[in-house]
Protein backbone atom coordinates (compact mmCIF):
# COMPACT_ATOMS: atom_id res chain seq x y z
CA UNK A 1 0.00 0.00 0.00
CA UNK A 2 1.72 3.14 -1.23
CA UNK A 3 0.72 5.51 1.57
CA UNK A 4 2.91 7.36 4.04
CA UNK A 5 2.87 7.23 7.85
CA UNK A 6 1.80 10.89 8.12
CA UNK A 7 -1.46 10.03 6.35
CA UNK A 8 -2.56 7.53 9.02
CA UNK A 9 -5.18 9.01 11.34
CA UNK A 10 -6.95 5.96 12.81
CA UNK A 11 -6.00 2.34 13.56
CA UNK A 12 -8.14 -0.50 14.89
CA UNK A 13 -6.43 -3.70 16.02
CA UNK A 14 -8.53 -6.77 16.75
CA UNK A 15 -6.85 -9.44 18.83
CA UNK A 16 -9.18 -12.42 19.10
CA UNK A 17 -12.49 -11.01 20.31
CA UNK A 18 -11.02 -7.76 21.66
CA UNK A 19 -10.70 -4.64 19.51
CA UNK A 20 -8.69 -1.52 20.29
CA UNK A 21 -8.92 1.74 18.33
CA UNK A 22 -6.54 4.69 18.42
CA UNK A 23 -7.05 8.00 16.67
CA UNK A 24 -4.69 10.83 15.85
CA UNK A 25 -5.23 13.95 17.95
CA UNK A 26 -2.95 16.66 16.65
CA UNK A 27 0.60 15.39 17.15
CA UNK A 28 -0.40 12.69 19.65
CA UNK A 29 -2.57 9.56 19.67
CA UNK A 30 -5.51 8.66 21.88
CA UNK A 31 -7.33 5.40 22.52
CA UNK A 32 -11.03 5.86 21.70
CA UNK A 33 -12.23 2.24 22.07
CA UNK A 34 -13.01 0.13 24.02
CA UNK A 35 -12.58 3.12 26.36
CA UNK A 36 -11.12 6.62 26.11
CA UNK A 37 -7.54 7.00 27.27
CA UNK A 38 -4.15 8.31 26.25
CA UNK A 39 -2.08 6.02 24.02
CA UNK A 40 1.46 4.85 24.63
CA UNK A 41 3.52 7.04 22.32
CA UNK A 42 6.36 4.56 21.74
CA UNK A 43 4.07 1.63 20.95
CA UNK A 44 1.85 3.72 18.67
CA UNK A 45 4.95 4.99 16.89
CA UNK A 46 6.16 1.43 16.24
CA UNK A 47 2.79 0.48 14.75
CA UNK A 48 2.66 3.57 12.54
CA UNK A 49 6.22 3.04 11.32
CA UNK A 50 5.30 -0.52 10.32
CA UNK A 51 2.06 0.47 8.57
CA UNK A 52 3.15 3.49 6.55
CA UNK A 53 4.00 2.44 3.96
CA UNK A 54 2.59 -1.08 4.34
CA UNK A 55 4.89 -3.48 2.52
CA UNK A 56 5.00 -7.25 1.96
CA UNK A 57 8.17 -9.15 2.78
CA UNK A 58 7.25 -11.54 -0.03
CA UNK A 59 4.22 -12.99 -1.82
CA UNK A 60 3.57 -16.69 -1.27
CA UNK A 61 0.27 -17.77 -2.85
CA UNK A 62 -2.63 -16.65 -5.04
CA UNK A 63 -5.16 -18.09 -2.54
CA UNK A 64 -5.03 -18.95 1.17
CA UNK A 65 -4.44 -22.49 2.41
CA UNK A 66 -5.11 -24.00 5.83
CA UNK A 67 -1.49 -23.63 6.94
CA UNK A 68 -1.67 -19.86 6.41
CA UNK A 69 -4.10 -19.53 9.34
CA UNK A 70 -6.23 -16.90 7.63
CA UNK A 71 -9.64 -18.56 7.93
CA UNK A 72 -9.77 -17.27 11.52
CA UNK A 73 -6.91 -14.72 11.67
CA UNK A 74 -5.29 -14.11 15.03
CA UNK A 75 -4.92 -10.40 14.26
CA UNK A 76 -6.92 -7.97 12.12
CA UNK A 77 -5.50 -4.50 11.57
CA UNK A 78 -7.77 -1.81 10.11
CA UNK A 79 -5.83 1.27 8.98
CA UNK A 80 -7.41 4.55 7.86
CA UNK A 81 -5.29 6.90 5.76
CA UNK A 82 -6.64 10.46 5.72
CA UNK A 83 -4.91 11.32 2.45
CA UNK A 84 -2.67 14.21 1.49
CA UNK A 85 -3.72 17.82 2.05
CA UNK A 86 -5.38 19.41 -0.95
CA UNK A 87 -3.91 22.80 -1.91
CA UNK A 88 -6.48 23.47 -4.63
CA UNK A 89 -8.36 26.14 -2.68
CA UNK A 90 -5.15 28.05 -1.98
CA UNK A 91 -4.14 27.89 -5.62
CA UNK A 92 -7.56 29.19 -6.71
CA UNK A 93 -7.38 32.14 -4.34
CA UNK A 94 -3.91 33.07 -5.53
CA UNK A 95 -5.11 32.81 -9.12
CA UNK A 96 -8.04 35.16 -8.47
CA UNK A 97 -5.79 37.85 -7.02
CA UNK A 98 -3.46 37.41 -9.96
CA UNK A 99 -6.36 37.93 -12.41
CA UNK A 100 -7.37 41.19 -10.74
CA UNK A 101 -3.86 42.59 -10.95
CA UNK A 102 -3.43 41.56 -14.56
CA UNK A 103 -6.83 42.95 -15.54
CA UNK A 104 -5.75 46.38 -14.30
CA UNK A 105 -2.59 46.18 -16.39
CA UNK A 106 -3.72 44.56 -19.59
CA UNK A 107 -7.00 42.77 -20.46
CA UNK A 108 -5.44 40.70 -23.19
CA UNK A 109 -2.66 39.49 -20.92
CA UNK A 110 -5.31 38.52 -18.39
CA UNK A 111 -7.14 36.37 -20.95
CA UNK A 112 -3.93 34.58 -21.83
CA UNK A 113 -3.24 33.96 -18.14
CA UNK A 114 -6.72 32.45 -17.73
CA UNK A 115 -6.08 30.07 -20.60
CA UNK A 116 -2.74 29.04 -19.13
CA UNK A 117 -4.28 28.43 -15.71
CA UNK A 118 -7.04 26.37 -17.29
CA UNK A 119 -4.44 24.18 -18.94
CA UNK A 120 -2.57 23.85 -15.65
CA UNK A 121 -5.74 22.83 -13.82
CA UNK A 122 -6.49 20.15 -16.40
CA UNK A 123 -2.92 18.88 -16.10
CA UNK A 124 -3.14 18.76 -12.31
CA UNK A 125 -6.47 16.92 -12.47
CA UNK A 126 -4.94 14.31 -14.70
CA UNK A 127 -1.99 13.57 -12.45
CA UNK A 128 -3.41 11.54 -9.53
CA UNK A 129 -6.59 12.49 -7.72
CA UNK A 130 -6.30 9.28 -5.69
CA UNK A 131 -3.27 10.71 -3.86
CA UNK A 132 -5.64 12.98 -1.93
CA UNK A 133 -8.40 10.44 -1.28
CA UNK A 134 -8.91 8.82 2.13
CA UNK A 135 -8.28 5.08 2.14
CA UNK A 136 -9.07 2.25 4.55
CA UNK A 137 -7.01 -0.94 4.42
CA UNK A 138 -7.76 -4.10 6.42
CA UNK A 139 -4.91 -6.56 6.95
CA UNK A 140 -5.70 -10.08 8.20
CA UNK A 141 -2.71 -11.71 9.91
CA UNK A 142 -2.55 -15.47 10.39
CA UNK A 143 0.06 -18.10 11.20
CA UNK A 144 3.74 -17.42 11.74
CA UNK A 145 6.02 -17.55 8.71
CA UNK A 146 9.72 -17.12 8.13
CA UNK A 147 10.45 -13.45 8.64
CA UNK A 148 6.98 -12.59 9.96
CA UNK A 149 3.46 -13.93 9.45
CA UNK A 150 1.11 -14.87 6.62
CA UNK A 151 -1.37 -12.14 5.76
CA UNK A 152 -3.85 -10.94 3.18
CA UNK A 153 -5.85 -7.80 2.49
CA UNK A 154 -9.55 -8.04 3.20
CA UNK A 155 -11.47 -8.72 0.00
CA UNK A 156 -8.44 -10.18 -1.79
CA UNK A 157 -7.16 -13.74 -2.16
CA UNK A 158 -3.42 -13.15 -2.49
CA UNK A 159 -1.36 -14.30 0.50
CA UNK A 160 1.83 -12.51 1.47
CA UNK A 161 4.14 -12.24 4.47
CA UNK A 162 4.22 -9.16 6.68
CA UNK A 163 7.31 -8.36 8.71
CA UNK A 164 7.91 -9.62 12.23
CA UNK A 165 8.30 -5.96 13.25
CA UNK A 166 4.69 -5.28 12.27
CA UNK A 167 3.41 -8.40 14.04
CA UNK A 168 5.33 -7.59 17.22
CA UNK A 169 4.08 -3.99 17.19
CA UNK A 170 0.37 -4.80 16.85
CA UNK A 171 0.49 -7.58 19.45
CA UNK A 172 1.05 -5.06 22.25
CA UNK A 173 -1.83 -2.96 23.67
CA UNK A 174 -1.68 0.68 22.58
CA UNK A 175 -3.10 2.14 25.79
CA UNK A 176 -0.65 4.16 27.88
CA UNK A 177 1.03 2.19 30.66
CA UNK A 178 0.42 5.16 32.95
CA UNK A 179 -3.31 4.39 33.00
CA UNK A 180 -2.67 1.52 35.39
CA UNK A 181 -0.01 3.31 37.41
CA UNK A 182 -1.20 3.28 41.05
CA UNK A 183 0.83 4.12 44.11
CA UNK A 184 1.09 1.21 46.55
CA UNK A 185 -0.21 3.43 49.33
CA UNK A 186 -3.45 3.95 47.37
CA UNK A 187 -4.27 0.23 47.16
CA UNK A 188 -6.87 -0.76 49.75
CA UNK A 189 -7.56 -4.32 48.60
CA UNK A 190 -6.05 -6.77 46.11
CA UNK A 191 -7.65 -10.02 44.92
CA UNK A 192 -5.80 -12.77 43.05
CA UNK A 193 -7.90 -15.44 41.34
CA UNK A 194 -6.46 -18.69 39.98
CA UNK A 195 -9.15 -21.00 38.67
CA UNK A 196 -11.47 -21.67 41.60
CA UNK A 197 -9.02 -20.25 44.14
CA UNK A 198 -9.30 -16.68 45.36
CA UNK A 199 -6.80 -14.88 47.58
CA UNK A 200 -7.34 -11.40 48.97
CA UNK A 201 -4.92 -8.92 50.49
CA UNK A 202 -6.39 -6.08 52.54
CA UNK A 203 -4.48 -2.99 53.60
CA UNK A 204 -4.48 -2.18 57.31
CA UNK A 205 -3.72 1.01 59.17
CA UNK A 206 -0.29 -0.32 59.91
CA UNK A 207 0.38 -1.04 56.22
Amino acid sequence: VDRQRDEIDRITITRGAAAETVEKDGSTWRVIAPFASSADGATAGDVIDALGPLEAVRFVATAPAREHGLEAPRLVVRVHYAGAADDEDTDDEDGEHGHDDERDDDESDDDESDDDESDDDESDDGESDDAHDPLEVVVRIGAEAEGGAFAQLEGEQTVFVVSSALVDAVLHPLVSRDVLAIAATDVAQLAIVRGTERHELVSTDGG
Side-chain angles (χ1 to χ4, degrees), residues 128-185:
S128 178
D129 292 338
D130 291 341
H132 297 285
D133 292 342
L135 174 68
E136 186 169 81
V137 176
V138 180
V139 185
R140 296 158 50 86
I141 301 175
E144 293 183 359
E146 183 178 353
F150 296 112
Q152 66 180 167
L153 297 180
E154 188 172 77
E156 297 186 10
Q157 289 292 303
T158 302
V159 179
F160 53 92
V161 173
V162 291
S163 68
S164 56
L166 170 58
V167 177
D168 292 343
V170 299
L171 277 174
H172 298 292
L174 298 176
V175 65
S176 173
R177 307 304 190 267
D178 294 336
V179 172
L180 301 178
I182 303 174
T185 54

Side-chain angles (χ1 to χ4, degrees), residues 45-63:
D46 290 342
V47 172
I48 295 162
D49 286 341
L51 291 173
L54 176 62
E55 297 177 336
V57 174
R58 64 184 182 277
F59 291 90
V60 297
T62 57

Side-chain angles (χ1 to χ4, degrees), residues 42-173:
T43 304
D46 290 342
V47 172
I48 295 162
D49 286 341
L51 291 173
L54 176 62
E55 297 177 336
V57 174
R58 64 184 182 277
F59 291 90
V60 297
T62 57
R66 178 176 297 180
E67 60 266 25
H68 297 146
L70 293 168
E71 184 175 349
R74 57 181 172 133
L75 296 165
V76 178
V77 184
R78 186 179 299 271
V79 188
H80 186 270
Y81 299 86
D86 193 345
D87 298 330
E88 182 179 350
D89 292 340
T90 303
D91 293 342
D92 288 345
E93 290 178 3
D94 291 343
E96 288 176 3
H97 291 305
H99 296 340
D100 291 340
D101 294 340
E102 291 172 5
R103 188 175 296 111
D104 292 338
D105 295 338
D106 191 334
E107 290 292 340
S108 62
D109 289 344
D110 184 46
D111 292 339
E112 291 177 2
S113 177
D114 289 342
D115 292 341
D116 291 341
E117 290 184 7
S118 177
D119 292 340
D120 290 341
D121 290 341
E122 291 177 2
S123 176
D124 291 343
D125 291 341
E127 286 181 356
S128 178
D129 292 338
D130 291 341
H132 297 285
D133 292 342
L135 174 68
E136 186 169 81
V137 176
V138 180
V139 185
R140 296 158 50 86
I141 301 175
E144 293 183 359
E146 183 178 353
F150 296 112
Q152 66 180 167
L153 297 180
E154 188 172 77
E156 297 186 10
Q157 289 292 303
T158 302
V159 179
F160 53 92
V161 173
V162 291
S163 68
S164 56
L166 170 58
V167 177
D168 292 343
V170 299
L171 277 174
H172 298 292

